[in-house]
Amino acid sequence: MTKTNSKLRVIPLGGLNEIGKNMTLIEYKNEMVVIDCGLSFPEDEMLGIDIVIPDITYLLKNKDKIKGIFITHGHEDHIGALPYVLKKLNVPVYGTRLSLGLIEVKLKEHKLNNTKLITVNAGDKFKLDNMEVEFIRTNHSIPDACSIAIHTDIGTIFHTGDFKIDYTPIDEDIMDFHRIAEIGKKGVLLMLADSTNVERSGSTMSERTVGDTLDDIFMNADGRIIVATFASNIHRVQQIINSADKYNRKVAVSGRSMVNVVNVATELGYLNMPEGMLIELNEIKDYKPEEIVIITTGSQGEPMSALSRMAASEHKKMEIIPGDLVVISAHPIPGNEKTVSRVINQLFEKGADVIYDDLAEVHVSGHACKEELKLMHRLVRPKYFIPVHGEFRHLKQHAELAVSLGMPEENVFTISSGTVVEFDKNSAKIAGTVPSGRILVDGLGVGDVGNIVLRDRKHLSEDGLMVVVVTISKEDGKVLAGPDIISRGFVYVRESEDLIEKARIVVKEALIECENRQIREWAYLKNTIKDELKNYLYEKTKRNPMILPIIMEV
Amino acid sequence: MTKTNSKLRVIPLGGLNEIGKNMTLIEYKNEMVVIDCGLSFPEDEMLGIDIVIPDITYLLKNKDKIKGIFITHGHEDHIGALPYVLKKLNVPVYGTRLSLGLIEVKLKEHKLNNTKLITVNAGDKFKLDNMEVEFIRTNHSIPDACSIAIHTDIGTIFHTGDFKIDYTPIDEDIMDFHRIAEIGKKGVLLMLADSTNVERSGSTMSERTVGDTLDDIFMNADGRIIVATFASNIHRVQQIINSADKYNRKVAVSGRSMVNVVNVATELGYLNMPEGMLIELNEIKDYKPEEIVIITTGSQGEPMSALSRMAASEHKKMEIIPGDLVVISAHPIPGNEKTVSRVINQLFEKGADVIYDDLAEVHVSGHACKEELKLMHRLVRPKYFIPVHGEFRHLKQHAELAVSLGMPEENVFTISSGTVVEFDKNSAKIAGTVPSGRILVDGLGVGDVGNIVLRDRKHLSEDGLMVVVVTISKEDGKVLAGPDIISRGFVYVRESEDLIEKARIVVKEALIECENRQIREWAYLKNTIKDELKNYLYEKTKRNPMILPIIMEV
């Protein structure tokens, strides 16, 4: 046994100083346990990128030690990177039934069928050689969410996962306060806890409060009701169904992920749809407006989502009509405010009425606010603490919250992804870093788009490009054809013929100058063309298109 | 006199169904009056665009009738298009002293020096042949703001401008309730009113409340204080200066627009800076941290602003040090949440403490909430109403507010920019449209970037491009050089040599095929190359780079 093996190492591989891409590695002796495997959505400057996944270099190096990936819940930022990671790392995946149901859909889409999926019930414990992994019921904005405790002979690590405290959850699966208290009583070495809502004082309201608002809305509506929400928020969907049932409306479902989730959740028994209530979207015409509810995706104004397509009259199966009531049962995620607002405007313009977060209590968060976090800290009362799941502002404020509850500052590790924290029974310290970062997925390419490609995309997006082609004689360096100029995304060519023609002359003069000076070095020639053209265009337009000079030798 | 001339026509040229670009035209008999001339900032999909200005085709057609542009206040969304409009339309500009002071800076930058600027005091009236234009004191987040009333023999039009009701404004220039009431008593034909905050219930707090928060913050701070706010919010700047004075701190100013505005406002007497308080930014090292306040731009996280540069360690004259207290005295404008959040994270990471909107009352809005709007409607009690300054959701809700106060629905015109509303003494109706829209400014180009260029920029930004060049013999159609392939923003070439090489082969095969079939039509050849390459690349990468085939004939 090597020296490091006697220490317990905790390494967040994602989710710290960023939103999403949650993944944490626990390493002890000859074993590794991975908690969650999430994706994040691209930042604005990651042009053309589809999704972002964690760097798993360190996991690949330690393939044989990994005992499994343990999933706290079925949100994209906790399971979304699985298909990419499992292609390189075939290890078992542990999760509750709903999490695995959603993961299976994903793996099927990626044609992955040799993953060992192990179904977990909250309360289950999995014994490894030197660790025991325990799942503990918690509440979140998706059913069947768990915290995870890892017991070792050095001490217990408690990872809250994403959570809120809901004293009246829809499925009556109440957070296992007693088990958490028991673990806390025995003593916890380290807690890692969700920091998303640490800036909010008080407590997040129960999901049940949204049901009351929905009931009010349904009671007063006399046209069709269209409710947009997160597909994975099955409790929200259940409450919409409950209100529909109460007010005798049929339910149709729109949007690929909503259809997927409703199917999986109904099949697995997480969603209780009364017999005969569900109809197809193209059957809605057979009913009166006041007999219809449509549950749809698009609560974030995502341009391709069902609600956005309805709002823009681009939905194939239905259109918004005056008298429709649209409820956006969600809060815009930072960065989505403008797309959501655009959809609201379009819906209003079509004569629909729209109810959203600013106007009524149609959404509650899935994350714990300050007072809930304090309860978790008090129950678990860990010796050490690592705030996770948040930007630096959140982690820092969560650290301050822990200190305000009496934890010594030196016991809080406000670290970033990739940092290794090493524990023994009596001490903890930062012990270096492992590779971590953002792997960009663009189409089929995983990691083939890096900073250079993104820098070029940004340049192209701002000022377009100008291609200059010239064919030159191998023998005497004379210009045989061109210079031809093609531009895209720079100016509207038909109205700028003069500018383009003058640009051609600038290039021509540069070529003649080089010819006269008998310069045959193409690199030099290209740079001369580039510089002259760049200066000319900037002077005339104050823009800097990308210039691509191409020399063909014949 | 033609027939239309006897009617009063009101035409909003911008600011309806959009944020910014505010401009309204009042046309009566042989005269036209323009209220405001603002810019808006580009939407996310307007890649590379600097600013957006209104379409003034209709004004240019009626040049001779225009009596002047009357400015309600000095914000960019009300004065920002002036330099562009005045280049084509040299008419007098009327505004209060501060508005003109800010306009002069702008005109100087654009080397415009033949504009007639006419200084207005609130209360002034300007008599034209058939209209009288009156400026009425109001309150907003910039000093010296006015509403504008236009009196005609048909009736009075009352344009609120942007406003809030502040019973205790910093400059003690209280809204002229009495004159507004007097005008309302005499009878108002039409009101146009600010809709920005119509979704917010209650009232906007007085600017003075921010001063109390700042005082508290200053009292408890023992390091440097850096306050970021809008440069034009001179009352906010004054309150920062007041707190600095109270707690014996010197003030330095950072950021071009902050320096500009502080200079203009001090010169014109809108800002009262105690003798010896203002120091240069490079003098701050001569003082203790607790003796310093820095007032800076960047409250919206704008990437090139002073605060962003400080946060990213790119500011030439100062750097953030542990112990600094940064106050972001603003609320993120929708769309800026992520950039603001990034700056907050960076500041925290540098060891500064950061106070922002979510954590303390360091900002109040400049716009009227529901209860203030109701007061305005009650005081002015117009016969007709056009909600202005807002997206459709705001205009619609403002219309509903008017109706809830008793206005008949048919007297409310929820219209979009470019719509003409025609009035006589007893009736009003929509009477067609005039050209209106978004003119995009990119560098020196005004209006030369349109949909095609933007579509190309979007395409390039998402998947980059691939240029294919081939030189072909004029005589026999044989390939003399190439195909050469250059790609940018598509894949990282060094790691995708294989893909690029195979793409070359695909093109080669297409060329051979065409040569064999004796096809010499270059358009056909280009399309073949494009299609083959497109299919190949999509199959291999699920990406669609822009493909530019270029054929050189020798």
Side-chain angles (χ1 to χ4, degrees), chain A residues 17 42-45 47-48 199 334-335 337-338 341-342 344-345 348-349 352-353 356 358-359 391-394 396-397 442-445 447-449 452-453 456-457 460-465 467 469-471 480-482 484 486 488-492 495-496 539-543 546 548 550-554, chain B residues 17 42-45 47-48 199 334-335 337-338 341-342 344-345 348-349 352-353 356 358-359 391-394 396-397 442-445 447-449 452-453 456-457 460-465 467 469-471 480-482 484 486 488-492 495-496 539-543 546 548 550-554:
Chain A
N17 295 352
E43 299 289 319
D44 291 346
E45 69 272 17
L47 295 167
E199 290 180 340
E337 291 80 0
K338 281 167 97 174
S341 195
R342 183 174 298 191
I344 292 172
N345 286 322
F348 272 136
E349 283 172 40
D353 207 358
Y356 43 99
D358 293 351
L359 304 178
E391 299 174 12
F392 189 83
R393 60 195 269 189
H394 306 114
K396 182 189 152 76
Q397 285 171 64
D442 182 4
L444 292 182
D448 67 338
V449 169
I452 296 175
V453 173
D456 283 348
R457 284 184 186 174
L460 290 164
S461 78
E462 286 172 353
D463 286 319
L465 88 151
V467 184
V469 198
V470 59
T471 302
L480 298 178
D484 282 8
I486 292 104
R488 288 290 186 281
F490 170 49
V491 288
Y492 185 46
E495 286 181 0
S496 310
E539 191 200 314
K540 289 294 170 197
T541 65
K542 290 269 181 294
R543 298 181 206 166
M546 181 184 282
L548 291 181
I550 303 174
I551 295 172
M552 303 288 286
E553 245 188 357
V554 172
Chain B
N17 295 353
E43 298 290 319
D44 291 345
E45 68 273 18
L47 295 167
E199 290 180 341
E337 292 80 0
K338 281 167 94 174
S341 195
R342 184 176 298 194
I344 292 172
N345 285 322
F348 271 135
E349 283 172 41
D353 207 359
Y356 42 99
D358 294 351
L359 305 178
E391 298 174 11
F392 189 83
R393 59 195 272 188
H394 305 113
K396 182 189 152 77
Q397 285 171 64
D442 182 4
L444 293 182
D448 68 339
V449 170
I452 296 175
V453 173
D456 283 347
R457 285 185 186 173
L460 290 165
S461 77
E462 286 173 352
D463 287 321
L465 88 151
V467 184
V469 198
V470 58
T471 302
L480 297 177
D484 282 9
I486 292 105
R488 289 288 187 279
F490 170 50
V491 289
Y492 186 47
E495 285 180 2
S496 310
E539 190 200 314
K540 290 294 171 195
T541 65
K542 289 270 181 292
R543 298 181 206 166
M546 180 184 281
L548 290 180
I550 302 173
I551 295 172
M552 304 288 285
E553 245 188 357
V554 171

Side-chain angles (χ1 to χ4, degrees), chain A residues 348-533:
Chain A
F348 272 136
E349 283 172 40
K350 295 212 150 30
D353 207 358
V354 191
I355 298 179
Y356 43 99
D357 209 11
D358 293 351
L359 304 178
E361 301 288 328
V362 288
H363 179 66
V364 295
S365 170
H367 298 274
C369 295
K370 272 201 176 104
E371 295 307 306
E372 295 157 271
L373 292 172
K374 286 179 191 168
L375 174 57
M376 187 59 96
H377 280 265
R378 284 284 181 239
L379 282 179
V380 178
R381 53 176 192 185
K383 181 162 185 189
Y384 298 101
F385 173 53
I386 301 178
V388 297
H389 303 179
E391 299 174 12
F392 189 83
R393 60 195 269 189
H394 306 114
L395 305 184
K396 182 189 152 76
Q397 285 171 64
H398 203 173
E400 281 169 7
L401 181 140
V403 171
S404 79
L405 293 174
M407 183 172 277
E409 250 177 78
E410 61 276 17
N411 287 15
V412 182
F413 293 90
T414 310
I415 56 174
S416 56
S417 303
T419 307
V420 180
V421 188
E422 222 172 64
F423 297 85
D424 58 27
K425 267 187 186 158
N426 304 307
S427 73
K429 66 163 201 280
I430 287 174
T433 59
V434 305
S436 77
R438 299 159 159 186
I439 306 297
L440 309 183
V441 179
D442 182 4
L444 292 182
V446 179
D448 67 338
V449 169
N451 286 335
I452 296 175
V453 173
L454 289 181
R455 202 191 52 201
D456 283 348
R457 284 184 186 174
K458 181 159 196 291
H459 187 174
L460 290 164
S461 78
E462 286 172 353
D463 286 319
L465 88 151
M466 189 173 265
V467 184
V468 183
V469 198
V470 59
T471 302
I472 290 185
S473 158
K474 235 180 258 182
E475 276 166 38
D476 56 8
K478 284 229 164 102
V479 173
L480 298 178
D484 282 8
I485 285 185
I486 292 104
S487 94
R488 288 290 186 281
F490 170 49
V491 288
Y492 185 46
V493 178
R494 230 183 280 178
E495 286 181 0
S496 310
E497 276 173 5
D498 195 47
L499 179 75
I500 303 283
E501 183 48 33
K502 280 193 182 133
R504 238 173 65 84
I505 294 170
V506 168
V507 175
K508 239 179 181 161
E509 281 167 0
L511 285 168
I512 291 170
E513 170 73 12
C514 286
E515 207 183 314
N516 289 345
R517 290 168 56 202
Q518 302 230 332
I519 289 162
R520 301 283 296 275
E521 229 179 287
W522 297 157
Y524 181 86
L525 194 55
K526 281 183 187 175
N527 275 335
T528 308
I529 294 173
K530 220 170 178 171
D531 292 346
E532 295 287 324
L533 206 49

